[in-house]
Amino acid sequence: MEGHQRNLYLYERFNARVLGVSRDDVITLKYFANSLDLTFPLLSNVTSFLGVSVDAQLDGRPIFSRRTVIIDKAGIIRYVRNGSPDFKDILLFLKKLNQKGRLDPTTGGKP
Amino acid sequence: MKRISLLFLCLFLMMAWLSGCATFETEKKAVPYRLTAQGTVIWEDEFEFLPPPPDWKLLRVEGEGGDIDFGFTRSDPGTFPSMTTFAYDEEPFGCSTKFEDREREFFKRFLFNAILQFRVLEKKKAQVLGGEGLEVVVEGKDPVKKEKVRAKVVFGKRGERIVGFYITQWRHLDGTYDLSAFEVFDKFVKSFKLLKKSFYETL
């Protein structure tokens, strides 16, 4: 999460926004965000519905485990990686997507 | 006949020993640094710095996201935990790009596992990596474990991001610090040059 916070200015440059999703409750997330000085939203996803709703739930697993998902303006999942985020890979991917226009809000997600 | 056999055996063993030496030579792994004629080290064609004296051992840690963290460590005379370590850190704790904010964020987590209360001994602006920077000297004590640490943290800028250098010197609560190690660290920081743009600057 700290890595995402460091990269916020770059995400903004690539017209991307970051959301953290956790199964922890709201009070725990507030404490966590405060301890790391995070300024981007953290969503409390205690029932794991978010993973299901964006179709990013791992098959056969009842929980939304650590994954990085990039969704474009049209709601299409463009990138899914399991495990700890590879920040350089994420940034390169966002840069590429932005250059193609898929994350440009003025084009409605169309290239 | 027996003497000739023994001679052949000795020759064979010597050949085997020598061929073993040759094998070791070819199996040497490439190191990420090279020495210059001026006595500096060039690390992965990205950084150049003055290395510490030979009694310091190289320390390398893979940072999150493949960022480069490396440093040097030395065992000091005296009772446990007499040790000094210094390092370059591409992504020091915290997120802010302002030095004062980053310092606050950094010390929330620096040596977190040791559960120390830090006392700031000195804080001043400094020239780091050819630009503005911040130096902070602190001391932390643990009366339960009877340990103490003196640390110096130097923040500088690499592009838009803050990078850091730090040295920690651990001692028994009754021990005395060896400030000459801090002079070695200062020379390392002062000599440190960025030879190319960081990944983040190229985006």
Side-chain angles (χ1 to χ4, degrees), chain A residues 7-19 70-74 90-91 93-110:
Chain A
N7 292 338
L8 278 188
Y9 71 103
L10 291 167
Y11 295 159
E12 215 151 285
R13 193 177 293 171
F14 302 142
N15 291 307
R17 302 290 177 270
V18 63
L19 291 173
I70 296 176
I71 307 170
D72 74 7
K73 182 79 177 174
I90 291 167
L91 286 166
F93 192 86
L94 289 174
K95 184 183 178 185
K96 205 171 147 189
L97 266 185
N98 189 48
Q99 282 168 345
K100 287 181 180 171
R102 290 202 173 106
L103 287 176
D104 186 344
T106 59
T107 61
K110 291 173 187 164

PDB file of all heavy atoms in Angstrom, chain A residues 7-19 70-74 90-91 93-110:
ATOM      1  N   ASN A   7       3.483   6.102  -5.515  1.00  0.00           N
ATOM      2  CA  ASN A   7       3.294   6.220  -6.967  1.00  0.00           C
ATOM      3  C   ASN A   7       2.058   7.016  -7.361  1.00  0.00           C
ATOM      4  O   ASN A   7       1.751   7.088  -8.550  1.00  0.00           O
ATOM      5  CB  ASN A   7       3.192   4.815  -7.582  1.00  0.00           C
ATOM      6  CG  ASN A   7       4.510   4.073  -7.489  1.00  0.00           C
ATOM      7  OD1 ASN A   7       5.563   4.681  -7.355  1.00  0.00           O
ATOM      8  ND2 ASN A   7       4.463   2.765  -7.550  1.00  0.00           N
ATOM      9  N   LEU A   8       1.360   7.613  -6.400  1.00  0.00           N
ATOM     10  CA  LEU A   8       0.102   8.307  -6.719  1.00  0.00           C
ATOM     11  C   LEU A   8       0.285   9.357  -7.816  1.00  0.00           C
ATOM     12  O   LEU A   8      -0.544   9.481  -8.710  1.00  0.00           O
ATOM     13  CB  LEU A   8      -0.464   8.979  -5.468  1.00  0.00           C
ATOM     14  CG  LEU A   8      -1.278   8.106  -4.507  1.00  0.00           C
ATOM     15  CD1 LEU A   8      -1.924   8.970  -3.443  1.00  0.00           C
ATOM     16  CD2 LEU A   8      -2.341   7.300  -5.233  1.00  0.00           C
ATOM     17  N   TYR A   9       1.368  10.112  -7.755  1.00  0.00           N
ATOM     18  CA  TYR A   9       1.586  11.171  -8.751  1.00  0.00           C
ATOM     19  C   TYR A   9       1.756  10.587 -10.153  1.00  0.00           C
ATOM     20  O   TYR A   9       1.383  11.214 -11.147  1.00  0.00           O
ATOM     21  CB  TYR A   9       2.784  12.058  -8.358  1.00  0.00           C
ATOM     22  CG  TYR A   9       4.140  11.389  -8.485  1.00  0.00           C
ATOM     23  CD1 TYR A   9       4.980  11.681  -9.552  1.00  0.00           C
ATOM     24  CD2 TYR A   9       4.594  10.480  -7.542  1.00  0.00           C
ATOM     25  CE1 TYR A   9       6.220  11.072  -9.688  1.00  0.00           C
ATOM     26  CE2 TYR A   9       5.828   9.876  -7.651  1.00  0.00           C
ATOM     27  CZ  TYR A   9       6.635  10.164  -8.725  1.00  0.00           C
ATOM     28  OH  TYR A   9       7.865   9.560  -8.857  1.00  0.00           O
ATOM     29  N   LEU A  10       2.301   9.373 -10.209  1.00  0.00           N
ATOM     30  CA  LEU A  10       2.478   8.721 -11.517  1.00  0.00           C
ATOM     31  C   LEU A  10       1.154   8.134 -12.011  1.00  0.00           C
ATOM     32  O   LEU A  10       0.844   8.201 -13.199  1.00  0.00           O
ATOM     33  CB  LEU A  10       3.547   7.629 -11.421  1.00  0.00           C
ATOM     34  CG  LEU A  10       4.967   8.154 -11.210  1.00  0.00           C
ATOM     35  CD1 LEU A  10       5.914   7.034 -10.800  1.00  0.00           C
ATOM     36  CD2 LEU A  10       5.494   8.829 -12.472  1.00  0.00           C
ATOM     37  N   TYR A  11       0.364   7.589 -11.077  1.00  0.00           N
ATOM     38  CA  TYR A  11      -0.952   7.077 -11.465  1.00  0.00           C
ATOM     39  C   TYR A  11      -1.794   8.221 -12.036  1.00  0.00           C
ATOM     40  O   TYR A  11      -2.514   8.044 -13.012  1.00  0.00           O
ATOM     41  CB  TYR A  11      -1.678   6.465 -10.259  1.00  0.00           C
ATOM     42  CG  TYR A  11      -1.028   5.227  -9.681  1.00  0.00           C
ATOM     43  CD1 TYR A  11      -1.283   4.820  -8.380  1.00  0.00           C
ATOM     44  CD2 TYR A  11      -0.176   4.440 -10.440  1.00  0.00           C
ATOM     45  CE1 TYR A  11      -0.705   3.680  -7.848  1.00  0.00           C
ATOM     46  CE2 TYR A  11       0.414   3.295  -9.911  1.00  0.00           C
ATOM     47  CZ  TYR A  11       0.147   2.934  -8.611  1.00  0.00           C
ATOM     48  OH  TYR A  11       0.726   1.804  -8.080  1.00  0.00           O
ATOM     49  N   GLU A  12      -1.704   9.370 -11.390  1.00  0.00           N
ATOM     50  CA  GLU A  12      -2.459  10.542 -11.852  1.00  0.00           C
ATOM     51  C   GLU A  12      -2.010  10.934 -13.262  1.00  0.00           C
ATOM     52  O   GLU A  12      -2.826  11.258 -14.118  1.00  0.00           O
ATOM     53  CB  GLU A  12      -2.217  11.699 -10.888  1.00  0.00           C
ATOM     54  CG  GLU A  12      -3.440  12.568 -10.716  1.00  0.00           C
ATOM     55  CD  GLU A  12      -3.472  13.217  -9.357  1.00  0.00           C
ATOM     56  OE1 GLU A  12      -3.771  12.535  -8.358  1.00  0.00           O
ATOM     57  OE2 GLU A  12      -3.164  14.413  -9.312  1.00  0.00           O
ATOM     58  N   ARG A  13      -0.707  10.858 -13.480  1.00  0.00           N
ATOM     59  CA  ARG A  13      -0.150  11.196 -14.795  1.00  0.00           C
ATOM     60  C   ARG A  13      -0.706  10.262 -15.876  1.00  0.00           C
ATOM     61  O   ARG A  13      -0.887  10.664 -17.020  1.00  0.00           O
ATOM     62  CB  ARG A  13       1.379  11.068 -14.721  1.00  0.00           C
ATOM     63  CG  ARG A  13       2.116  11.676 -15.889  1.00  0.00           C
ATOM     64  CD  ARG A  13       3.612  11.558 -15.687  1.00  0.00           C
ATOM     65  NE  ARG A  13       4.098  12.358 -14.578  1.00  0.00           N
ATOM     66  CZ  ARG A  13       5.335  12.296 -14.080  1.00  0.00           C
ATOM     67  NH1 ARG A  13       6.212  11.450 -14.598  1.00  0.00           N
ATOM     68  NH2 ARG A  13       5.700  13.060 -13.087  1.00  0.00           N
ATOM     69  N   PHE A  14      -0.985   9.028 -15.475  1.00  0.00           N
ATOM     70  CA  PHE A  14      -1.503   8.045 -16.444  1.00  0.00           C
ATOM     71  C   PHE A  14      -3.032   7.913 -16.361  1.00  0.00           C
ATOM     72  O   PHE A  14      -3.606   6.917 -16.807  1.00  0.00           O
ATOM     73  CB  PHE A  14      -0.860   6.671 -16.199  1.00  0.00           C
ATOM     74  CG  PHE A  14       0.631   6.687 -16.297  1.00  0.00           C
ATOM     75  CD1 PHE A  14       1.408   5.933 -15.437  1.00  0.00           C
ATOM     76  CD2 PHE A  14       1.280   7.460 -17.260  1.00  0.00           C
ATOM     77  CE1 PHE A  14       2.793   5.959 -15.511  1.00  0.00           C
ATOM     78  CE2 PHE A  14       2.663   7.486 -17.340  1.00  0.00           C
ATOM     79  CZ  PHE A  14       3.424   6.741 -16.462  1.00  0.00           C
ATOM     80  N   ASN A  15      -3.680   8.916 -15.767  1.00  0.00           N
ATOM     81  CA  ASN A  15      -5.146   8.935 -15.657  1.00  0.00           C
ATOM     82  C   ASN A  15      -5.696   7.705 -14.942  1.00  0.00           C
ATOM     83  O   ASN A  15      -6.753   7.187 -15.313  1.00  0.00           O
ATOM     84  CB  ASN A  15      -5.790   9.056 -17.044  1.00  0.00           C
ATOM     85  CG  ASN A  15      -5.539  10.415 -17.644  1.00  0.00           C
ATOM     86  OD1 ASN A  15      -5.823  11.426 -17.016  1.00  0.00           O
ATOM     87  ND2 ASN A  15      -4.970  10.443 -18.834  1.00  0.00           N
ATOM     88  N   ALA A  16      -4.966   7.228 -13.967  1.00  0.00           N
ATOM     89  CA  ALA A  16      -5.411   6.050 -13.214  1.00  0.00           C
ATOM     90  C   ALA A  16      -5.686   6.450 -11.760  1.00  0.00           C
ATOM     91  O   ALA A  16      -5.116   7.411 -11.253  1.00  0.00           O
ATOM     92  CB  ALA A  16      -4.346   4.965 -13.257  1.00  0.00           C
ATOM     93  N   ARG A  17      -6.581   5.756 -11.132  1.00  0.00           N
ATOM     94  CA  ARG A  17      -6.872   5.947  -9.706  1.00  0.00           C
ATOM     95  C   ARG A  17      -6.696   4.615  -9.002  1.00  0.00           C
ATOM     96  O   ARG A  17      -6.991   3.569  -9.575  1.00  0.00           O
ATOM     97  CB  ARG A  17      -8.314   6.429  -9.511  1.00  0.00           C
ATOM     98  CG  ARG A  17      -8.644   7.724 -10.242  1.00  0.00           C
ATOM     99  CD  ARG A  17      -7.935   8.930  -9.636  1.00  0.00           C
ATOM    100  NE  ARG A  17      -8.221  10.133 -10.410  1.00  0.00           N
ATOM    101  CZ  ARG A  17      -7.493  10.564 -11.438  1.00  0.00           C
ATOM    102  NH1 ARG A  17      -6.424   9.871 -11.824  1.00  0.00           N
ATOM    103  NH2 ARG A  17      -7.811  11.660 -12.076  1.00  0.00           N
ATOM    104  N   VAL A  18      -6.240   4.680  -7.762  1.00  0.00           N
ATOM    105  CA  VAL A  18      -6.019   3.424  -7.027  1.00  0.00           C
ATOM    106  C   VAL A  18      -7.018   3.294  -5.883  1.00  0.00           C
ATOM    107  O   VAL A  18      -7.344   4.272  -5.209  1.00  0.00           O
ATOM    108  CB  VAL A  18      -4.545   3.310  -6.534  1.00  0.00           C
ATOM    109  CG1 VAL A  18      -4.185   4.404  -5.558  1.00  0.00           C
ATOM    110  CG2 VAL A  18      -4.294   1.947  -5.886  1.00  0.00           C
ATOM    111  N   LEU A  19      -7.516   2.082  -5.702  1.00  0.00           N
ATOM    112  CA  LEU A  19      -8.404   1.749  -4.587  1.00  0.00           C
ATOM    113  C   LEU A  19      -7.825   0.520  -3.901  1.00  0.00           C
ATOM    114  O   LEU A  19      -7.466  -0.443  -4.574  1.00  0.00           O
ATOM    115  CB  LEU A  19      -9.796   1.366  -5.094  1.00  0.00           C
ATOM    116  CG  LEU A  19     -10.698   2.418  -5.715  1.00  0.00           C
ATOM    117  CD1 LEU A  19     -11.937   1.745  -6.291  1.00  0.00           C
ATOM    118  CD2 LEU A  19     -11.112   3.435  -4.674  1.00  0.00           C
ATOM    119  N   ILE A  70      -6.287  -4.250 -12.751  1.00  0.00           N
ATOM    120  CA  ILE A  70      -6.429  -2.942 -13.425  1.00  0.00           C
ATOM    121  C   ILE A  70      -7.658  -3.021 -14.327  1.00  0.00           C
ATOM    122  O   ILE A  70      -7.767  -3.899 -15.191  1.00  0.00           O
ATOM    123  CB  ILE A  70      -5.171  -2.581 -14.231  1.00  0.00           C
ATOM    124  CG1 ILE A  70      -3.972  -2.400 -13.286  1.00  0.00           C
ATOM    125  CG2 ILE A  70      -5.404  -1.302 -15.040  1.00  0.00           C
ATOM    126  CD1 ILE A  70      -2.650  -2.124 -13.975  1.00  0.00           C
ATOM    127  N   ILE A  71      -8.574  -2.098 -14.058  1.00  0.00           N
ATOM    128  CA  ILE A  71      -9.825  -2.061 -14.825  1.00  0.00           C
ATOM    129  C   ILE A  71      -9.838  -0.768 -15.634  1.00  0.00           C
ATOM    130  O   ILE A  71      -9.554   0.300 -15.090  1.00  0.00           O
ATOM    131  CB  ILE A  71     -11.039  -2.094 -13.868  1.00  0.00           C
ATOM    132  CG1 ILE A  71     -10.905  -3.282 -12.910  1.00  0.00           C
ATOM    133  CG2 ILE A  71     -12.344  -2.150 -14.655  1.00  0.00           C
ATOM    134  CD1 ILE A  71     -11.911  -3.276 -11.776  1.00  0.00           C
ATOM    135  N   ASP A  72     -10.172  -0.854 -16.890  1.00  0.00           N
ATOM    136  CA  ASP A  72     -10.155   0.372 -17.700  1.00  0.00           C
ATOM    137  C   ASP A  72     -11.475   1.112 -17.571  1.00  0.00           C
ATOM    138  O   ASP A  72     -12.395   0.689 -16.870  1.00  0.00           O
ATOM    139  CB  ASP A  72      -9.769   0.065 -19.156  1.00  0.00           C
ATOM    140  CG  ASP A  72     -10.867  -0.612 -19.949  1.00  0.00           C
ATOM    141  OD1 ASP A  72     -11.996  -0.735 -19.428  1.00  0.00           O
ATOM    142  OD2 ASP A  72     -10.597  -1.031 -21.088  1.00  0.00           O
ATOM    143  N   LYS A  73     -11.547   2.254 -18.249  1.00  0.00           N
ATOM    144  CA  LYS A  73     -12.709   3.136 -18.127  1.00  0.00           C
ATOM    145  C   LYS A  73     -14.000   2.438 -18.566  1.00  0.00           C
ATOM    146  O   LYS A  73     -15.090   2.735 -18.076  1.00  0.00           O
ATOM    147  CB  LYS A  73     -12.440   4.381 -18.993  1.00  0.00           C
ATOM    148  CG  LYS A  73     -13.499   5.440 -18.956  1.00  0.00           C
ATOM    149  CD  LYS A  73     -13.395   6.299 -17.712  1.00  0.00           C
ATOM    150  CE  LYS A  73     -14.444   7.401 -17.754  1.00  0.00           C
ATOM    151  NZ  LYS A  73     -14.473   8.160 -16.517  1.00  0.00           N
ATOM    152  N   ALA A  74     -13.881   1.500 -19.469  1.00  0.00           N
ATOM    153  CA  ALA A  74     -15.061   0.781 -19.963  1.00  0.00           C
ATOM    154  C   ALA A  74     -15.437  -0.384 -19.045  1.00  0.00           C
ATOM    155  O   ALA A  74     -16.391  -1.110 -19.331  1.00  0.00           O
ATOM    156  CB  ALA A  74     -14.786   0.274 -21.377  1.00  0.00           C
ATOM    157  N   ILE A  90       3.314  -2.568 -12.969  1.00  0.00           N
ATOM    158  CA  ILE A  90       2.020  -1.863 -12.963  1.00  0.00           C
ATOM    159  C   ILE A  90       2.156  -0.506 -13.662  1.00  0.00           C
ATOM    160  O   ILE A  90       1.337  -0.136 -14.504  1.00  0.00           O
ATOM    161  CB  ILE A  90       1.520  -1.673 -11.502  1.00  0.00           C
ATOM    162  CG1 ILE A  90       1.142  -3.027 -10.903  1.00  0.00           C
ATOM    163  CG2 ILE A  90       0.352  -0.701 -11.435  1.00  0.00           C
ATOM    164  CD1 ILE A  90       0.945  -3.014  -9.402  1.00  0.00           C
ATOM    165  N   LEU A  91       3.213   0.213 -13.322  1.00  0.00           N
ATOM    166  CA  LEU A  91       3.406   1.547 -13.916  1.00  0.00           C
ATOM    167  C   LEU A  91       3.619   1.459 -15.429  1.00  0.00           C
ATOM    168  O   LEU A  91       3.065   2.268 -16.185  1.00  0.00           O
ATOM    169  CB  LEU A  91       4.594   2.245 -13.243  1.00  0.00           C
ATOM    170  CG  LEU A  91       4.316   2.754 -11.826  1.00  0.00           C
ATOM    171  CD1 LEU A  91       5.608   3.104 -11.113  1.00  0.00           C
ATOM    172  CD2 LEU A  91       3.388   3.970 -11.857  1.00  0.00           C
ATOM    173  N   PHE A  93       2.524  -0.853 -17.362  1.00  0.00           N
ATOM    174  CA  PHE A  93       1.252  -1.248 -17.966  1.00  0.00           C
ATOM    175  C   PHE A  93       0.302  -0.053 -18.062  1.00  0.00           C
ATOM    176  O   PHE A  93      -0.350   0.165 -19.090  1.00  0.00           O
ATOM    177  CB  PHE A  93       0.610  -2.373 -17.139  1.00  0.00           C
ATOM    178  CG  PHE A  93      -0.536  -3.036 -17.842  1.00  0.00           C
ATOM    179  CD1 PHE A  93      -0.312  -4.078 -18.729  1.00  0.00           C
ATOM    180  CD2 PHE A  93      -1.841  -2.598 -17.647  1.00  0.00           C
ATOM    181  CE1 PHE A  93      -1.367  -4.681 -19.398  1.00  0.00           C
ATOM    182  CE2 PHE A  93      -2.906  -3.189 -18.314  1.00  0.00           C
ATOM    183  CZ  PHE A  93      -2.674  -4.233 -19.194  1.00  0.00           C
ATOM    184  N   LEU A  94       0.234   0.732 -16.987  1.00  0.00           N
ATOM    185  CA  LEU A  94      -0.643   1.908 -16.993  1.00  0.00           C
ATOM    186  C   LEU A  94      -0.195   2.925 -18.040  1.00  0.00           C
ATOM    187  O   LEU A  94      -1.015   3.540 -18.720  1.00  0.00           O
ATOM    188  CB  LEU A  94      -0.661   2.559 -15.602  1.00  0.00           C
ATOM    189  CG  LEU A  94      -1.401   1.790 -14.507  1.00  0.00           C
ATOM    190  CD1 LEU A  94      -1.211   2.473 -13.163  1.00  0.00           C
ATOM    191  CD2 LEU A  94      -2.891   1.678 -14.823  1.00  0.00           C
ATOM    192  N   LYS A  95       1.106   3.079 -18.159  1.00  0.00           N
ATOM    193  CA  LYS A  95       1.639   4.014 -19.155  1.00  0.00           C
ATOM    194  C   LYS A  95       1.201   3.587 -20.559  1.00  0.00           C
ATOM    195  O   LYS A  95       0.750   4.403 -21.368  1.00  0.00           O
ATOM    196  CB  LYS A  95       3.168   4.044 -19.049  1.00  0.00           C
ATOM    197  CG  LYS A  95       3.810   5.049 -19.976  1.00  0.00           C
ATOM    198  CD  LYS A  95       5.320   4.974 -19.883  1.00  0.00           C
ATOM    199  CE  LYS A  95       5.956   5.959 -20.846  1.00  0.00           C
ATOM    200  NZ  LYS A  95       7.403   5.849 -20.870  1.00  0.00           N
ATOM    201  N   LYS A  96       1.328   2.292 -20.803  1.00  0.00           N
ATOM    202  CA  LYS A  96       0.956   1.746 -22.117  1.00  0.00           C
ATOM    203  C   LYS A  96      -0.545   1.916 -22.374  1.00  0.00           C
ATOM    204  O   LYS A  96      -0.954   2.348 -23.460  1.00  0.00           O
ATOM    205  CB  LYS A  96       1.331   0.256 -22.137  1.00  0.00           C
ATOM    206  CG  LYS A  96       1.571  -0.323 -23.504  1.00  0.00           C
ATOM    207  CD  LYS A  96       2.136  -1.727 -23.332  1.00  0.00           C
ATOM    208  CE  LYS A  96       1.695  -2.631 -24.441  1.00  0.00           C
ATOM    209  NZ  LYS A  96       2.040  -4.025 -24.182  1.00  0.00           N
ATOM    210  N   LEU A  97      -1.338   1.605 -21.345  1.00  0.00           N
ATOM    211  CA  LEU A  97      -2.795   1.753 -21.490  1.00  0.00           C
ATOM    212  C   LEU A  97      -3.172   3.207 -21.755  1.00  0.00           C
ATOM    213  O   LEU A  97      -4.030   3.494 -22.587  1.00  0.00           O
ATOM    214  CB  LEU A  97      -3.492   1.305 -20.205  1.00  0.00           C
ATOM    215  CG  LEU A  97      -3.993  -0.126 -20.094  1.00  0.00           C
ATOM    216  CD1 LEU A  97      -4.757  -0.304 -18.790  1.00  0.00           C
ATOM    217  CD2 LEU A  97      -4.905  -0.501 -21.256  1.00  0.00           C
ATOM    218  N   ASN A  98      -2.522   4.085 -21.023  1.00  0.00           N
ATOM    219  CA  ASN A  98      -2.823   5.509 -21.170  1.00  0.00           C
ATOM    220  C   ASN A  98      -2.442   6.008 -22.562  1.00  0.00           C
ATOM    221  O   ASN A  98      -3.157   6.809 -23.169  1.00  0.00           O
ATOM    222  CB  ASN A  98      -2.083   6.301 -20.101  1.00  0.00           C
ATOM    223  CG  ASN A  98      -2.516   7.748 -20.061  1.00  0.00           C
ATOM    224  OD1 ASN A  98      -3.704   8.043 -20.050  1.00  0.00           O
ATOM    225  ND2 ASN A  98      -1.551   8.652 -20.066  1.00  0.00           N
ATOM    226  N   GLN A  99      -1.321   5.518 -23.053  1.00  0.00           N
ATOM    227  CA  GLN A  99      -0.895   5.924 -24.400  1.00  0.00           C
ATOM    228  C   GLN A  99      -1.888   5.438 -25.457  1.00  0.00           C
ATOM    229  O   GLN A  99      -2.112   6.100 -26.454  1.00  0.00           O
ATOM    230  CB  GLN A  99       0.497   5.383 -24.703  1.00  0.00           C
ATOM    231  CG  GLN A  99       1.589   6.194 -24.026  1.00  0.00           C
ATOM    232  CD  GLN A  99       2.951   5.513 -24.072  1.00  0.00           C
ATOM    233  OE1 GLN A  99       3.061   4.317 -24.367  1.00  0.00           O
ATOM    234  NE2 GLN A  99       3.998   6.254 -23.747  1.00  0.00           N
ATOM    235  N   LYS A 100      -2.496   4.287 -25.189  1.00  0.00           N
ATOM    236  CA  LYS A 100      -3.494   3.761 -26.132  1.00  0.00           C
ATOM    237  C   LYS A 100      -4.843   4.451 -25.956  1.00  0.00           C
ATOM    238  O   LYS A 100      -5.766   4.214 -26.735  1.00  0.00           O
ATOM    239  CB  LYS A 100      -3.666   2.251 -25.921  1.00  0.00           C
ATOM    240  CG  LYS A 100      -2.497   1.429 -26.415  1.00  0.00           C
ATOM    241  CD  LYS A 100      -2.790  -0.041 -26.190  1.00  0.00           C
ATOM    242  CE  LYS A 100      -1.638  -0.897 -26.676  1.00  0.00           C
ATOM    243  NZ  LYS A 100      -1.807  -2.304 -26.265  1.00  0.00           N
ATOM    244  N   GLY A 101      -4.976   5.242 -24.892  1.00  0.00           N
ATOM    245  CA  GLY A 101      -6.209   5.996 -24.682  1.00  0.00           C
ATOM    246  C   GLY A 101      -7.271   5.261 -23.911  1.00  0.00           C
ATOM    247  O   GLY A 101      -8.356   5.760 -23.699  1.00  0.00           O
ATOM    248  N   ARG A 102      -6.946   4.049 -23.437  1.00  0.00           N
ATOM    249  CA  ARG A 102      -7.992   3.265 -22.779  1.00  0.00           C
ATOM    250  C   ARG A 102      -8.356   3.807 -21.399  1.00  0.00           C
ATOM    251  O   ARG A 102      -9.399   3.494 -20.872  1.00  0.00           O
ATOM    252  CB  ARG A 102      -7.549   1.814 -22.664  1.00  0.00           C
ATOM    253  CG  ARG A 102      -7.517   1.119 -24.002  1.00  0.00           C
ATOM    254  CD  ARG A 102      -7.606  -0.381 -23.816  1.00  0.00           C
ATOM    255  NE  ARG A 102      -7.735  -1.026 -25.114  1.00  0.00           N
ATOM    256  CZ  ARG A 102      -6.761  -1.697 -25.711  1.00  0.00           C
ATOM    257  NH1 ARG A 102      -5.617  -1.829 -25.126  1.00  0.00           N
ATOM    258  NH2 ARG A 102      -6.951  -2.252 -26.889  1.00  0.00           N
ATOM    259  N   LEU A 103      -7.450   4.591 -20.807  1.00  0.00           N
ATOM    260  CA  LEU A 103      -7.779   5.138 -19.487  1.00  0.00           C
ATOM    261  C   LEU A 103      -8.048   6.632 -19.553  1.00  0.00           C
ATOM    262  O   LEU A 103      -8.198   7.268 -18.529  1.00  0.00           O
ATOM    263  CB  LEU A 103      -6.612   4.868 -18.518  1.00  0.00           C
ATOM    264  CG  LEU A 103      -6.454   3.419 -18.059  1.00  0.00           C
ATOM    265  CD1 LEU A 103      -5.225   3.286 -17.206  1.00  0.00           C
ATOM    266  CD2 LEU A 103      -7.659   2.943 -17.318  1.00  0.00           C
ATOM    267  N   ASP A 104      -8.125   7.162 -20.759  1.00  0.00           N
ATOM    268  CA  ASP A 104      -8.345   8.595 -20.900  1.00  0.00           C
ATOM    269  C   ASP A 104      -9.818   8.906 -20.663  1.00  0.00           C
ATOM    270  O   ASP A 104     -10.686   8.468 -21.416  1.00  0.00           O
ATOM    271  CB  ASP A 104      -7.930   9.041 -22.309  1.00  0.00           C
ATOM    272  CG  ASP A 104      -7.998  10.558 -22.439  1.00  0.00           C
ATOM    273  OD1 ASP A 104      -8.632  11.189 -21.570  1.00  0.00           O
ATOM    274  OD2 ASP A 104      -7.430  11.088 -23.403  1.00  0.00           O
ATOM    275  N   PRO A 105     -10.154   9.657 -19.585  1.00  0.00           N
ATOM    276  CA  PRO A 105     -11.562   9.903 -19.284  1.00  0.00           C
ATOM    277  C   PRO A 105     -12.286  10.679 -20.382  1.00  0.00           C
ATOM    278  O   PRO A 105     -13.495  10.579 -20.527  1.00  0.00           O
ATOM    279  CB  PRO A 105     -11.522  10.690 -17.978  1.00  0.00           C
ATOM    280  CG  PRO A 105     -10.133  11.185 -17.842  1.00  0.00           C
ATOM    281  CD  PRO A 105      -9.246  10.287 -18.632  1.00  0.00           C
ATOM    282  N   THR A 106     -11.546  11.426 -21.189  1.00  0.00           N
ATOM    283  CA  THR A 106     -12.198  12.240 -22.225  1.00  0.00           C
ATOM    284  C   THR A 106     -12.658  11.387 -23.406  1.00  0.00           C
ATOM    285  O   THR A 106     -13.491  11.810 -24.205  1.00  0.00           O
ATOM    286  CB  THR A 106     -11.249  13.336 -22.747  1.00  0.00           C
ATOM    287  OG1 THR A 106     -10.092  12.685 -23.275  1.00  0.00           O
ATOM    288  CG2 THR A 106     -10.856  14.287 -21.633  1.00  0.00           C
ATOM    289  N   THR A 107     -12.118  10.196 -23.531  1.00  0.00           N
ATOM    290  CA  THR A 107     -12.525   9.350 -24.650  1.00  0.00           C
ATOM    291  C   THR A 107     -13.477   8.241 -24.195  1.00  0.00           C
ATOM    292  O   THR A 107     -13.829   7.374 -24.992  1.00  0.00           O
ATOM    293  CB  THR A 107     -11.307   8.672 -25.309  1.00  0.00           C
ATOM    294  OG1 THR A 107     -10.671   7.845 -24.327  1.00  0.00           O
ATOM    295  CG2 THR A 107     -10.321   9.684 -25.843  1.00  0.00           C
ATOM    296  N   GLY A 108     -13.865   8.293 -22.918  1.00  0.00           N
ATOM    297  CA  GLY A 108     -14.791   7.290 -22.432  1.00  0.00           C
ATOM    298  C   GLY A 108     -14.204   5.899 -22.460  1.00  0.00           C
ATOM    299  O   GLY A 108     -14.946   4.914 -22.570  1.00  0.00           O
ATOM    300  N   GLY A 109     -12.927   5.800 -22.399  1.00  0.00           N
ATOM    301  CA  GLY A 109     -12.290   4.500 -22.361  1.00  0.00           C
ATOM    302  C   GLY A 109     -12.022   3.905 -23.723  1.00  0.00           C
ATOM    303  O   GLY A 109     -11.483   2.820 -23.849  1.00  0.00           O
ATOM    304  N   LYS A 110     -12.435   4.653 -24.776  1.00  0.00           N
ATOM    305  CA  LYS A 110     -12.175   4.100 -26.121  1.00  0.00           C
ATOM    306  C   LYS A 110     -10.786   4.506 -26.595  1.00  0.00           C
ATOM    307  O   LYS A 110     -10.376   5.636 -26.365  1.00  0.00           O
ATOM    308  CB  LYS A 110     -13.228   4.606 -27.105  1.00  0.00           C
ATOM    309  CG  LYS A 110     -14.603   4.011 -26.824  1.00  0.00           C
ATOM    310  CD  LYS A 110     -15.650   4.652 -27.693  1.00  0.00           C
ATOM    311  CE  LYS A 110     -17.030   4.160 -27.273  1.00  0.00           C
ATOM    312  NZ  LYS A 110     -18.088   4.980 -27.800  1.00  0.00           N
TER     313      LYS A 110
END
